[in-house]
Amino acid sequence: MCSGSLKALMAACAMGALLGACQREERDQRPSPVASETREQVALTTNSAGPSPPEIRVSGKGAKYEASAYDQSQGKKYYAWFNCNGCHSNGGGGSGPPLMDDRWIYGGSIENIVQTIREGRPNGMPSFRGKIPDEQIWQIAAYVRSMSGNTSSDSAPQRNDSMHPHPSESRTPPSPPVNGGTVAPSPSR
Amino acid sequence: MVALSLPSVLTGCERWPDALDPKAPEAHDIAWLIWTFTGLLGAIWLAVVIAMLIAIRGGRRVAPPAAGATPLDALALHPAGERSRTVIVGVLGGLTALTVLVLTGLSYATQRSLFAPRQEGLSILVTGKQWWWELQYEDADPSRIVETANEIHVPVNVPVTLKLEASDVIHSLWVPRLMGKEDLIPGRQNVKRVFVTQPGVYRGQCAEFCGQQHAHMGLLIVAEPMADFERWRDRQRAEAASPSSDEQQAGHDAFLKRSCVMCHQIRGTDAGGRSGPDLTHVGSRMTLAAGTLPLTRGSLAAWIVDPHGVKPGVDMPLTKLEPDELNAIAAYLESLK
Ligand SMILES: [Cu+2]
C-alpha cells in the first residue's frame, strides 16, 4: 500500500521532470517562412515630460526567449559568430560597454536590447537591421540578459564550447538592470 | 540463409555508397580482411555443425546398463577411449588457439598498415560542423590554399592526407568505397589517408550521430586525373566571377545587403562571414547543403527561401527577402562556377 503510493509519487515526479525538461528545450523545428520584425515601443528612461510615465508597448515575445535554454544557447553561439565579442569581449566590455553588469545606458529589458541591436546606438554600436534576422536578434538579446543573471538559472547557458573565461551564465547571480547607469551614476557607487 | 544471401543483396544495391565495392587500396585491405575472416570462420562453423550432425545421427550407441549396475558405472573410465578423446580435444584446442592467433595477427598487420603515419602528397584540412564539412587545401604557398565545402576533389593515384577536426561535436567521416570510418573530434586532429585508384564520384556520410540533421551531413569525393584536378584547383583559387547580367548583379547586391554576409564568404566581394560554407564557387558543386539536394537554380531558391524546410533545425536562419530578391540571389549564386 505504502510502496504503491510511493511509486505513484515517484512516477509523478519523473513525469514532472520530463515535461519540465521538454519545455526548457522547446524549439521551432520549422519557423514560419514569413519571419518579420516585431514592433517594440520601449523607453530609454523613466523620465517623461508630463505627469504620466513614458508609454511602453511590447510584443511580449521576450518571455518565451528568456525561458528557453535552446534560444539562449543559440544566442550565445551567434554572439560569437557575429563578432559581438570583438567590441564587448565576453560581456566584460572593450571598446563597447560591459554587458554583464547592472548598468544599462539604453535600458536592460529584453525589448531594449533587441532595439539596441536592431537599430544601433549613436556612440559606436552598429545597427544590425537586415544583417541579423529578427529571430536571431531575440535569441542574442536573451543571451545578453543571461550574462547578468537576468534569465532563470535553469535556462541560462551552462557551459562553454571552448575555454571558460568566466563561470557559466547559469551560475551568475542576478543583477537587476539599473537604467541609465553610466549616464547618471547612483550615489551608492 | 539470410546471412548468406545478404551480401549478394547488398552488392546488388544500385545506391552508390557501397562498402562491398572497394575502389582504394585501403578499402581493399579492409574488404580482404573481412572476407578472410568470414571465409575461415564460416568453414570452421560448417565443420562443427557437420560434426554435430554426425554425432547426433550416427554416433556411438551406449549399451543398455548391465543388470545390477549402479548409475555410477556408466561414468566409469575406459582408459583407451579416454586417451584418444584427450588427444582429439587437445588438437582441437590447439587449432582454436592457432586460428585466434592467425586472425589476430592478420587484423593487427592490416591495422598497422592502415594507420601508419605517412605525410605525403596532398593535404586537406577537413572540419566537421553541424551539419556540413569545411575544407581547406593546404599548401606551403599561401596563394595556392583553397577553401571550399562539402565536395573533396582529389587526383587519382596520389596519396591524400585528410586532417580531421571538428568545431562543435564529434563527427565521423566515412566513404564506404574508399576508406573506413575516422572520427572528427573537437580539440584534436586525426589523420586519415586516401589513395583512390579509379576516377569517379564517391559518396561519403557522417557516421557519428551529431544532432538533428546528422542524416543530412553527406559529402562527395570526386577523384579525377591530375590534369583535371589541377584545373579544378586553379578555378577554385580564383576570386568569384563578377555578375554578368542585370539579374545576377541584383542578386549580388541583395546578397551583400542581407544577412548572408554575416556567415558566408564570397572571395572578391565584401561578403566575409566565416561561420557558414564558403560560397565563392558554390555553383560548381554538384550538391547543395552537404549532399541534401542536387545543385540547381531551383534548389538554391528553395534552400534560401526556407532552409528549415529542407533541413529542419539547420544553423542557417531564415532571412526575410523582398520578392524580387530571391530569384536574383539564386541566379547569382548559380553563376558562381
Ligand atoms: Cu553526424
Side-chain angles (χ1 to χ4, degrees):
Chain A
M1 171 56 211
C2 180
S3 87
S5 55
L6 193 67
K7 268 186 199 150
L9 186 68
M10 277 169 61
C13 287
M15 200 65 174
L18 272 178
L19 291 178
C22 288
Q23 212 137 62
R24 180 179 174 276
E25 291 284 338
E26 212 164 43
R27 61 191 78 175
D28 241 347
Q29 298 284 350
R30 190 175 168 186
S32 150
V34 281
S36 53
E37 256 179 35
T38 57
R39 301 237 173 280
E40 310 293 333
Q41 186 173 333
V42 295
L44 299 182
T45 160
T46 48
N47 295 339
S48 79
S52 59
E55 195 174 330
I56 295 177
R57 222 177 289 137
V58 299
S59 61
K61 209 176 164 190
K64 169 198 164 239
Y65 293 90
E66 294 198 346
S68 158
Y70 171 72
D71 286 330
Q72 286 170 58
S73 75
Q74 288 295 97
K76 181 168 183 165
K77 185 168 72 185
Y78 294 130
Y79 183 87
W81 276 15
F82 298 153
N83 194 32
C84 310
N85 46 5
C87 296
H88 294 281
S89 191
N90 289 301
S95 66
L99 302 177
M100 62 198 296
D101 64 358
D102 54 355
R103 301 308 177 84
W104 293 93
I105 314 172
Y106 299 103
S109 76
I110 188 167
E111 290 83 10
N112 284 105
I113 297 172
V114 165
Q115 291 290 72
T116 299
I117 301 172
R118 198 192 278 153
E119 314 293 345
R121 295 300 184 196
N123 290 326
M125 168 74 189
S127 158
F128 288 92
R129 162 170 275 128
K131 294 286 196 275
I132 304 182
D134 207 54
E135 168 89 2
Q136 275 65 38
I137 293 185
W138 280 94
Q139 291 175 335
I140 298 171
Y143 169 64
V144 168
R145 291 265 295 160
S146 80
M147 284 181 175
S148 48
N150 280 302
T151 60
S152 72
S153 65
D154 62 341
S155 65
Q158 283 163 0
R159 67 174 194 79
N160 291 348
D161 283 341
S162 51
M163 285 203 301
H164 290 237
H166 53 75
S168 71
E169 287 78 7
S170 63
R171 287 193 281 144
T172 312
S175 37
V178 177
N179 289 340
T182 50
V183 176
S186 62
S188 64
R189 290 260 166 140
Chain B
M1 264 319 277
V2 174
L4 285 180
S5 59
L6 208 54
S8 55
V9 171
L10 289 178
T11 27
C13 272
E14 291 299 313
R15 313 271 309 266
W16 21 326
D18 184 351
L20 298 172
D21 180 21
K23 288 285 185 282
E26 167 170 332
H28 267 295
D29 284 356
I30 298 176
W32 176 85
L33 193 67
I34 292 293
W35 287 123
T36 313
F37 267 62
T38 313
L40 192 60
L41 298 179
I44 294 177
W45 175 78
L46 212 61
V48 170
V49 168
I50 289 173
M52 265 171 51
L53 281 181
I54 292 174
I56 291 169
R57 310 215 46 223
R60 194 163 45 90
R61 294 265 171 272
V62 180
T70 64
L72 273 183
D73 287 347
L75 298 176
L77 296 178
H78 303 287
E82 200 56 34
R83 212 171 305 121
S84 75
R85 252 174 280 167
T86 311
V87 171
I88 293 176
V89 170
V91 168
L92 287 180
L95 281 179
T96 308
L98 190 70
T99 316
V100 171
L101 268 178
V102 166
L103 291 185
T104 310
L106 283 178
S107 165
Y108 177 73
T110 312
Q111 286 254 341
R112 249 183 90 97
S113 80
L114 287 187
F115 294 111
R118 245 171 285 170
Q119 174 65 293
E120 61 205 328
L122 187 66
S123 146
I124 307 170
L125 181 64
V126 181
T127 311
K129 310 229 168 165
Q130 280 174 323
W131 292 279
W132 58 284
W133 311 84
E134 185 181 64
L135 308 173
Q136 189 181 54
Y137 285 70
E138 300 186 324
D139 203 294
D141 173 2
S143 74
R144 283 175 52 81
I145 293 178
V146 166
E147 275 179 34
T148 174
N150 299 336
E151 194 172 301
I152 309 183
H153 283 241
V154 296
V156 286
N157 296 323
V158 170
V160 177
T161 305
L162 300 179
K163 297 181 176 168
L164 307 178
E165 294 181 358
S167 66
D168 34 42
V169 298
I170 300 180
H171 305 274
S172 181
L173 175 63
W174 187 31
V175 188
R177 287 163 80 185
L178 301 181
M179 59 194 229
K181 297 172 189 172
E182 186 72 55
D183 282 357
L184 296 80
I185 301 170
R188 65 167 284 156
Q189 190 177 73
N190 284 342
V191 173
K192 189 84 191 159
R193 278 179 308 115
V194 249
F195 185 89
V196 192
T197 46
Q198 204 171 310
V201 179
Y202 304 95
R203 166 113 192 173
Q205 176 65 35
C206 178
E208 174 77 37
F209 181 71
C210 58
Q212 208 179 345
Q213 287 301 322
H214 165 64
H216 285 148
M217 183 167 166
L219 85 165
L220 296 182
I221 292 203
V222 181
E224 50 202 1
M226 196 59 176
D228 290 350
F229 171 75
E230 284 298 347
R231 223 169 298 130
W232 174 84
R233 185 171 177 155
D234 286 338
R235 257 202 328 274
Q236 296 287 315
R237 274 197 308 142
E239 291 189 337
S242 35
S244 60
S245 72
D246 287 349
E247 190 182 31
Q248 290 171 16
Q249 183 65 46
H252 167 270
D253 298 348
F255 189 95
L256 292 186
K257 203 170 79 193
R258 296 291 174 185
S259 70
C260 326
V261 288
M262 303 291 288
C263 299
H264 292 291
Q265 184 174 43
I266 298 183
R267 278 174 279 129
T269 72
D270 287 340
R274 309 286 308 206
S275 40
D278 186 305
L279 299 181
T280 312
H281 298 287
V282 63
S284 74
R285 292 180 205 142
M286 283 180 236
T287 63
L288 185 71
T292 308
L293 295 173
L295 194 137
T296 63
R297 185 153 157 185
S299 60
L300 273 167
W303 171 256
I304 296 164
V305 78
D306 186 13
H308 292 258
V310 179
K311 260 173 121 162
V314 73
D315 262 336
M316 169 157 153
L318 183 82
T319 302
K320 191 164 181 248
L321 299 171
E322 296 305 323
D324 54 344
E325 286 175 336
L326 176 64
N327 270 325
I329 294 183
Y332 172 57
L333 292 181
E334 193 200 16
S335 78
L336 297 177
K337 295 286 182 197

